[in-house]
Amino acid sequence: MNAKKWLLSMLTAVMLVSVLSACASNSSNKPSNGSNAENGAEGTNEPGTEPITITFFDKNTGDKFDNQIAQEITKRTGVTIEIQQPTGNPTEKLNLMLASEDLPDMIMFDRSSDLVAKYIEAGAIIPLNKLIEDYGHDVSEMYGDVLNKTRYKDGNNYYLSNWYGLEHEPVFGFNMRKDIVKELAPDKAEGGVPFTATEFKKLLSDFKAKYPQIDGKDTIALTMDGENFGGTMGTFKGMFGLTNYYEKDGKLQYDVKNPAYRDMILYMNDLYRSGLMDKEWAINKRQVWEQKIATGTIFSSTGAYWDLGNSNTIIKKDIGEESQLFAYKVVADGLDPSKTTYGGRSSLGWDAIAITKKNKNPERTMQFINFLASEEGQYLLMWGIEGTHWDMKDGKHTPRPEVLQSFKDDWAAYTKETGIRKWTWFIKNGPGADGTPYDLPGRYERSPIDQMAIKNLSDSVFDTAIYDGLSPQGGTPEALNEQKINDITRQAITKAIMAPSAEEAGAIFDKMLSDMKAAGDEKVEAVYTANFAVRSELWQ
């Protein structure tokens, strides 16, 4: 009996030692949330620093990740980015990558592209929710409600926006030679008081009467970039307070069905028939449009104020600063100026950046993303290195004068040389915690032209996010209907604007509506409305 008891005790002790040993082994081999010994204390989510390479398809650039800022990012994170961007059409490459499953670790899409949904449905990009929860503290803090609004219909986040956050920066406007506005409408030359539609037509007429020629060349009161149809129509739509769709009885319809759209077309037709609009506006190539404006013979043009940068640079040098075209607001007769819509911007940004299923280090990738999305990362990407490109003075980021001057002298060359504002990933619009803008070259020092646009048009900004990406999925019958309708509207609108009479312009517009109906516009609108309802519910 004693021998049996002794044997039983020995077996129990051996089993206990084995269990304890197994527990210790499990504990020592337990993954520390994707980190390793170099990442800090066991079980923490501190960023890794060991060298790693991440392949990244960036549709915007194919440059090597080897400038000053790239090197500093690698120094702080251990991550080297191998940029993959083809010559040619990025969309074609993205489709090919999806079909072949030859995927990089990360991808940047156009956020509004149907490719995002295709990649999600194919399982080619992974949900980020858990990764953000575990490794994305700064992502959560910086993006805030944007994460709620960029969820897919299954409730997951599959990408992070780029250039996100609504900023009250104007987009379209009527750009006019300030020196001539000072002559013909001096009370409005400095901005702050809009022109009515009637006043604008008179201003164009007065210009033509006083300046039929400049330096022996015929003048044009109003021209447009024929290759930027959206900018042309966006400017006039802003004047009439029109947005992406016409909401009626809880449904979304094409914007052209808004009664104000017809009024807009008839107003444009009146300007054309009165000889105040460039007869070649619809066929102007961008380069030709820029050259016309640069001669100083053009009084005004539609579009975003920054579109005229090249022309204004020449005008400033050849004629003078106040001869440049500055952005002003024109308001449809009877419309409240605060109801104009010159600045359609999406608070959800332009791009979508995702992690693919082929990524072998998603945790480490999210840690890298979290760094870039943080305050520290944003200022590194957009301002450069502290002590080299900027200094902290009185609690504020302060750029060095030579950095600002270098951007003024040659923005593109300085960006390429240093990397400041080259890698614009996970960028947030607006100011940082100290009130300085994240976008150093674009927002820190504003030119007189920028300042005038902000003064006249910043109250016209509206958020288009709720309307983004409501179109039918590519390849569906409704998508084909939509394309046909887009062709119908563009051709008809151009003809109506250039019609020889108001009556004919109206008849062309009415026929357009009839042709749209025959092409299945109600089927497309049903998709818009259904997608809008799903999104509205998801955002609640």
Side-chain angles (χ1 to χ4, degrees):
M1 289 294 294
N2 288 336
K4 290 182 179 179
K5 287 182 180 180
W6 179 84
L7 181 59
L8 182 60
S9 297
M10 284 296 295
L11 289 172
T12 301
V14 170
M15 291 176 64
L16 180 60
V17 169
S18 299
V19 170
L20 290 174
S21 176
C23 289
S25 176
N26 287 340
S27 176
S28 64
N29 292 327
K30 182 180 178 182
S32 56
N33 294 321
S35 304
N36 58 31
E38 294 184 56
N39 294 347
E42 181 180 313
T44 69
N45 296 336
E46 292 300 314
T49 56
E50 73 283 4
I52 185 174
T53 297
I54 294 174
T55 55
F56 188 1
F57 179 89
D58 180 345
K59 67 181 180 60
N60 296 325
T61 182
D63 292 357
K64 290 184 177 180
F65 191 74
D66 60 0
N67 51 41
Q68 258 184 300
I69 303 308
Q71 292 169 14
E72 186 66 19
I73 290 171
T74 300
K75 177 182 175 182
R76 298 191 197 183
T77 66
V79 175
T80 298
I81 296 295
E82 182 183 307
I83 300 291
Q84 297 182 357
Q85 205 279 323
T87 55
N89 189 336
T91 300
E92 292 178 1
K93 176 62 176 177
L94 284 163
N95 275 311
L96 181 61
M97 287 194 303
L98 180 61
S100 65
E101 293 196 348
D102 182 17
L103 301 169
D105 296 318
M106 296 173 65
I107 289 179
M108 178 190 283
F109 308 87
D110 281 318
R111 197 184 61 79
S112 60
S113 168
D114 65 353
L115 273 169
V116 178
K118 287 181 180 178
Y119 267 72
I120 293 172
E121 294 294 338
I125 55 179
I126 65 174
L128 303 179
N129 304 54
K130 182 61 175 172
L131 290 169
I132 293 172
E133 181 182 343
D134 290 345
Y135 308 101
H137 170 77
D138 291 297
V139 168
S140 296
E141 185 174 307
M142 295 288 275
Y143 278 79
D145 193 46
V146 169
L147 293 175
N148 180 53
K149 293 181 177 180
T150 55
R151 289 180 298 158
Y152 194 56
K153 59 188 177 182
D154 63 3
N156 286 317
N157 287 102
Y158 288 90
Y159 66 84
L160 290 172
S161 300
N162 204 27
W163 296 106
Y164 66 97
L166 184 65
E167 58 177 353
H168 285 271
E169 286 283 333
V171 183
F172 302 126
F174 284 93
N175 304 285
M176 312 181 205
R177 274 189 58 168
K178 185 180 178 182
D179 57 349
I180 293 176
V181 176
K182 289 178 76 170
E183 288 182 38
L184 303 178
D187 59 320
K188 296 183 178 179
E190 298 304 326
V193 181
F195 293 90
T196 65
T198 299
E199 291 170 339
F200 181 56
K201 181 183 177 183
K202 183 178 185 303
L203 184 62
L204 298 178
S205 299
D206 290 346
F207 166 76
K208 284 297 292 181
K210 187 170 183 178
Y211 295 101
Q213 290 189 329
I214 292 178
D215 295 333
K217 300 176 182 176
D218 292 341
T219 61
I220 295 173
L222 173 65
T223 191
M224 287 90 97
D225 175 3
E227 291 187 310
N228 186 12
F229 189 76
T232 297
M233 301 312 296
T235 302
F236 279 97
K237 284 176 65 174
M239 172 183 172
F240 281 79
L242 296 162
T243 58
N244 305 55
Y245 297 94
Y246 177 40
E247 295 187 47
K248 183 179 180 183
D249 301 327
K251 297 180 180 179
L252 293 189
Q253 298 181 352
Y254 278 94
D255 57 358
V256 297
K257 295 186 178 182
N258 188 321
Y261 204 105
R262 182 188 180 93
D263 296 338
M264 179 191 81
I265 294 299
L266 293 177
Y267 178 76
M268 295 176 73
N269 173 253
D270 180 42
L271 296 182
Y272 183 83
R273 289 186 294 104
S274 299
L276 302 175
M277 188 183 290
D278 186 354
K279 298 294 184 184
E280 299 175 337
W281 73 269
I283 59 172
N284 278 334
K285 297 295 184 182
R286 182 176 180 86
Q287 187 175 8
V288 171
W289 171 75
E290 288 182 328
Q291 290 171 350
K292 285 183 177 182
I293 294 171
T295 64
T297 61
I298 306 293
F299 171 63
S300 66
S301 184
T302 56
Y305 65 92
W306 59 80
D307 287 339
L308 292 96
N310 292 336
S311 302
N312 272 337
T313 298
I314 296 172
I315 290 173
K316 182 179 179 180
K317 179 181 178 182
D318 294 348
I319 308 175
E321 182 169 338
E322 291 205 333
S323 296
Q324 298 177 98
L325 277 68
F326 289 70
Y328 292 87
K329 179 189 284 192
V330 180
V331 184
D333 291 341
L335 182 69
D336 182 341
S338 68
K339 302 298 183 183
T340 53
T341 50
Y342 283 102
R345 286 180 171 273
S346 175
S347 60
L348 304 186
W350 305 343
D351 306 317
I353 306 175
I355 298 175
T356 76
K357 67 178 182 179
K358 293 297 182 73
N359 189 312
K360 296 180 180 179
N361 298 282
E363 296 87 359
R364 184 69 185 282
T365 302
M366 180 53 68
Q367 290 173 336
F368 170 73
I369 290 171
N370 188 67
F371 168 74
L372 294 183
S374 70
E375 278 264 304
E376 179 185 353
Q378 296 288 284
Y379 279 107
L380 175 59
L381 288 167
M382 305 297 278
W383 282 60
I385 303 167
E386 182 177 8
T388 300
H389 305 110
W390 61 272
D391 301 288
M392 188 66 77
K393 295 182 179 179
D394 299 324
K396 287 185 176 291
H397 290 75
T398 305
R400 294 194 169 184
E402 63 270 21
V403 172
L404 292 174
Q405 189 59 47
S406 295
F407 273 110
K408 291 175 184 177
D409 292 343
D410 194 331
W411 180 319
Y414 192 64
T415 291
K416 190 175 183 66
E417 173 194 340
T418 63
I420 300 173
R421 209 181 187 275
K422 176 64 177 177
W423 316 111
T424 53
W425 301 325
F426 315 103
I427 296 301
K428 184 176 185 177
N429 290 320
D434 66 358
T436 54
Y438 289 127
D439 185 356
L440 171 64
R443 297 288 183 263
Y444 188 79
E445 285 190 347
R446 308 307 294 265
S447 72
I449 289 177
D450 288 22
Q451 292 173 26
M452 180 72 86
I454 292 168
K455 182 177 183 179
N456 287 332
L457 297 160
S458 61
D459 64 342
S460 289
V461 175
F462 68 101
D463 194 351
T464 64
I466 192 69
Y467 300 125
D468 292 350
L470 299 180
S471 291
Q473 189 170 345
T476 62
E478 291 81 8
L480 298 175
N481 294 140
E482 183 185 51
Q483 182 57 55
K484 185 174 182 180
I485 291 164
N486 289 342
D487 293 340
I488 290 170
T489 55
R490 171 138 189 186
Q491 292 175 18
I493 286 169
T494 303
K495 289 180 181 178
I497 293 168
M498 301 172 71
S501 68
E503 291 74 21
E504 188 165 342
I508 293 171
F509 192 82
D510 290 339
K511 185 177 185 303
M512 175 191 73
L513 295 176
S514 176
D515 290 344
M516 289 171 61
K517 187 176 182 64
D521 65 348
E522 292 180 352
K523 294 178 182 178
V524 180
E525 289 171 344
V527 175
Y528 294 155
T529 301
N531 289 341
F532 184 74
V534 170
R535 175 168 299 162
S536 298
E537 183 177 352
L538 189 64
W539 285 14
Q540 288 180 356

